[in-house]
Amino acid sequence: MRKYLEKLPEEIKGLIKIIRRVASMNKMPAYLVGGFVRDLILGVKNLDLDIVVEGSGIIFSEHLSRALKARLIRHKRFGTATVTVKPHIKIDIATARKESYPQAAALPVVTAGVLKEDLLRRDFTINAMAVSIFPGNFGSLVDLFGGEGDLRRRRVRVLHDLSFIDDPTRILRAIRFEQRYNFSIEPATLKLLKEAVRVKMLERVEPQRIRDDLVLALKEQRSLKNIRRIQALAGFDFIRRGLRPSKKDYSFMRSIEREITWFRRAYSRRRALDGWLMYFMGLIDSLGFKEAGGACKKFAFRRGETKRILSFKKIKKNFVAQLNKKRLSPSRIFSLLEPLSYEAILLLKAKYATPNLQRHIEDFFEIYNGMRIYVSGHDLGGMGLSPGPGYKKIFTRVLNAKLNGQVKTKKQELSLIRKLIGAC
Ligand code: ATP
């Protein structure tokens, strides 16, 4: 494995060096495990380091966060911890319990047994490999289930026959890895997966656990491929019994994909878009408001997520008809779209792809959204106005005038306010 470790970016190599030092100084064998090892062999970038430590992961994480001067979050109940090195680089540390030490103060023997316990609990062979980062056997691969061979054969394989029954979320995980790496699900595994689907395991598992893996599937770069494959292999009864996205729904989701790509390219500096939420909306487009609300509740989406989903469901034909008008003043476009989330606006654009609506939405993003006026409460106070609801009314009038091109400079804004006050 050393040749693979050598190829890592300098920043990650430096981190591994420090982890190795901390492991050695504290006599705690440590291993890189899981997705990091899979991606290490595949040569795919991965900045989430997963470490398993024999002994106490918590104590190890305390030493490590001190050595790295990085933020530490401990989950004492699970014996796990996360060290956040940079916003995009983190190290998850877990404990593999070691029962005994051969002699007091001796280096603990690297017992395959302790690590095996941990690896046995994992989902697929390709995710169940470990690489030692302990001096003495640094860089050696622990591959107890033939994960390296499966990576070479490009296949997703479970560790045992009851894997999908033990944890049905692995059904979605298998599809996710298959689609992400263009692998195939190994035939015996596929049979087990289909059997688990047949006995409705996905409907038996706690919805919130399924939600997490569904969201991950929708966040993948090729979400639509994932969605098609989930429908083919597992169906979407786990969202709502009888839910079968139609051709029309897929055409909507393809438009969603286009709009997400357009927005991310054009407005990379704006608020990040929750693309997964838009695909979810595409999936449940055939559901009514109440049913969609039921799905949100079942999956215990966050308040903001539910709000965005339901606000789109609430949009009436009349609202769309207004946006379809050829002539709309900028202030009208603004007042229609500003209260909506970016996701809801782009869903509108994807669903009602008429030229007028498209143009108004593009103008909204390009020009009107984020337009600010110069005058502030301080200016109004200076004009003898006392703070209150009247301020908001004035600001709205000034902003509308600015959107419609009637005022441009601060001087013009102030003069408009004077006129407004005078008219009162
Ligand atoms: P990704 O690249 O999508 O982050 P990952 O493999 O790192 O993939 P995580 O969800 O971060 O996935 O999980 C880390 C590791 O934990 C996996 O590689 C796997 O070994 C193990 N794991 C995660 N979920 C399960 C599960 N449901 N059952 C068994 N093992 C799991």
Side-chain angles (χ1 to χ4, degrees):
M1 283 294 109
R2 279 176 183 249
K3 66 172 186 220
Y4 294 115
L5 292 168
E6 277 307 312
K7 280 190 210 149
L8 285 169
E10 286 305 321
E11 196 172 22
I12 303 294
K13 266 200 283 192
L15 275 182
I16 293 176
K17 221 180 206 171
I18 295 172
I19 299 169
R20 171 187 168 150
R21 203 172 63 221
V22 170
S24 165
M25 274 168 41
N26 296 285
K27 301 186 173 49
M28 294 169 117
Y31 305 85
L32 286 163
V33 286
F36 186 85
V37 175
R38 175 197 69 221
D39 288 342
L40 178 72
I41 298 174
L42 286 174
V44 170
K45 185 174 170 186
N46 190 331
L47 302 177
D48 288 335
L49 280 74
D50 262 334
I51 306 256
V52 166
V53 179
E54 288 186 10
S56 162
I58 299 283
I59 294 174
F60 185 89
S61 69
E62 286 163 357
H63 291 304
L64 184 63
S65 70
R66 233 172 285 132
L68 291 167
K69 294 190 179 62
R71 199 162 64 96
L72 168 68
I73 298 174
R74 305 177 191 82
H75 314 282
K76 285 201 170 146
R77 213 154 65 91
F78 304 104
T80 61
T82 302
V83 175
T84 306
V85 184
K86 285 189 179 167
H88 60 290
I89 304 180
K90 62 180 182 53
I91 309 171
D92 282 319
I93 298 144
T95 305
R97 284 190 208 293
K98 177 145 184 58
E99 273 111 304
S100 63
Y101 283 73
Q103 297 161 248
L107 273 186
V109 174
V110 180
T111 48
V114 178
L115 186 64
K116 188 176 175 182
E117 282 276 303
D118 178 280
L119 297 179
L120 251 173
R121 285 196 299 268
R122 291 179 184 259
D123 47 5
F124 309 113
T125 61
I126 57 170
N127 287 342
M129 291 180 279
V131 173
S132 166
I133 38 175
F134 198 63
N137 58 357
F138 180 83
S140 65
L141 177 71
V142 182
D143 179 13
L144 306 172
F145 313 101
E148 200 187 10
D150 283 333
L151 275 184
R152 228 177 303 115
R153 284 181 214 106
R154 308 174 67 77
R155 62 187 199 177
V156 179
R157 183 162 63 91
V158 284
L159 305 192
H160 58 88
D161 287 0
L162 288 177
S163 189
F164 293 119
I165 305 292
D166 286 351
D167 182 353
T169 65
R170 292 174 187 161
I171 295 172
L172 297 188
R173 292 179 63 83
I175 294 172
R176 187 153 61 86
F177 294 119
E178 178 203 49
Q179 294 301 308
R180 183 194 294 170
Y181 300 114
N182 258 325
F183 280 15
S184 59
I185 300 175
E186 174 267 342
T189 299
L190 189 61
K191 217 166 139 196
L192 294 167
L193 183 152
K194 286 181 176 168
E195 182 54 22
V197 170
R198 195 184 66 77
V199 297
K200 304 205 178 302
M201 288 310 298
L202 277 171
E203 288 166 72
R204 291 197 211 170
V205 73
E206 201 190 339
Q208 292 170 36
R209 294 198 51 223
I210 284 287
R211 172 205 58 201
D212 292 344
D213 275 289
L214 175 66
V215 170
L216 287 175
L218 301 181
K219 278 185 177 173
E220 285 286 308
Q221 227 167 24
R222 288 179 246 168
S223 330
L224 213 55
K225 270 184 81 203
N226 260 285
I227 293 172
R228 282 185 196 285
R229 189 70 169 148
I230 296 173
Q231 174 147 21
L233 290 183
F236 285 107
D237 281 351
F238 66 89
I239 297 181
R240 189 187 162 84
R241 198 158 275 174
L243 180 67
R244 308 252 183 292
S246 63
K247 271 192 177 164
K248 194 167 136 250
D249 296 327
Y250 275 102
S251 142
F252 180 30
M253 286 189 272
R254 275 198 303 279
S255 303
I256 290 175
E257 190 172 48
R258 271 198 300 277
E259 294 306 339
I260 293 175
T261 309
W262 168 76
F263 184 86
R264 286 189 176 147
R265 261 197 213 134
Y267 303 109
S268 56
R269 283 156 183 265
R270 300 259 174 108
R271 181 176 71 66
L273 200 63
D274 279 326
W276 72 265
L277 199 124
M278 295 173 63
Y279 286 114
F280 184 76
M281 289 300 293
L283 269 175
I284 62 161
D285 198 44
S286 59
L287 301 188
F289 181 82
K290 234 175 112 185
E291 295 164 321
C296 291
K297 203 165 162 198
K298 172 175 168 179
F299 285 132
F301 283 135
R302 294 199 185 110
R303 204 137 56 105
E305 293 163 352
T306 301
K307 211 170 136 193
R308 276 177 284 170
I309 291 170
L310 295 184
S311 73
F312 182 70
K313 284 280 177 203
K314 258 194 232 158
I315 289 174
K316 299 269 184 323
K317 276 189 187 140
N318 177 37
F319 182 91
V320 179
Q322 299 229 25
L323 277 171
N324 264 326
K325 282 188 185 159
K326 190 163 181 196
R327 287 182 174 279
L328 271 185
S329 69
S331 59
R332 183 70 187 133
I333 297 174
F334 185 83
S335 72
L336 286 169
L337 296 177
E338 183 68 7
L340 298 179
S341 61
Y342 282 1
E343 287 82 5
I345 299 172
L346 290 169
L347 282 164
L348 274 170
K349 193 167 181 290
K351 190 161 179 175
Y352 308 100
T354 54
N356 290 338
L357 179 142
Q358 294 267 329
R359 184 166 45 83
H360 296 323
I361 290 180
E362 281 166 24
D363 284 350
F364 172 77
F365 281 125
E366 190 59 39
I367 315 168
Y368 315 136
N369 178 231
M371 194 178 258
R372 301 275 176 271
I373 53 175
Y374 295 111
V375 287
S376 63
H378 185 72
D379 294 308
L380 297 190
M383 293 165 99
L385 293 171
S386 32
Y391 269 34
K392 185 152 187 256
K393 270 192 195 153
I394 293 175
F395 289 144
T396 306
R397 294 284 291 271
V398 175
L399 180 61
N400 284 346
K402 187 155 190 175
L403 286 162
N404 293 336
Q406 291 146 349
V407 298
K408 287 195 172 71
T409 62
K410 182 165 182 181
K411 213 167 143 192
Q412 289 169 333
E413 288 179 10
L414 288 169
S415 126
L416 171 66
I417 295 171
R418 270 185 225 107
K419 262 193 231 153
L420 290 172
I421 303 171
C424 286

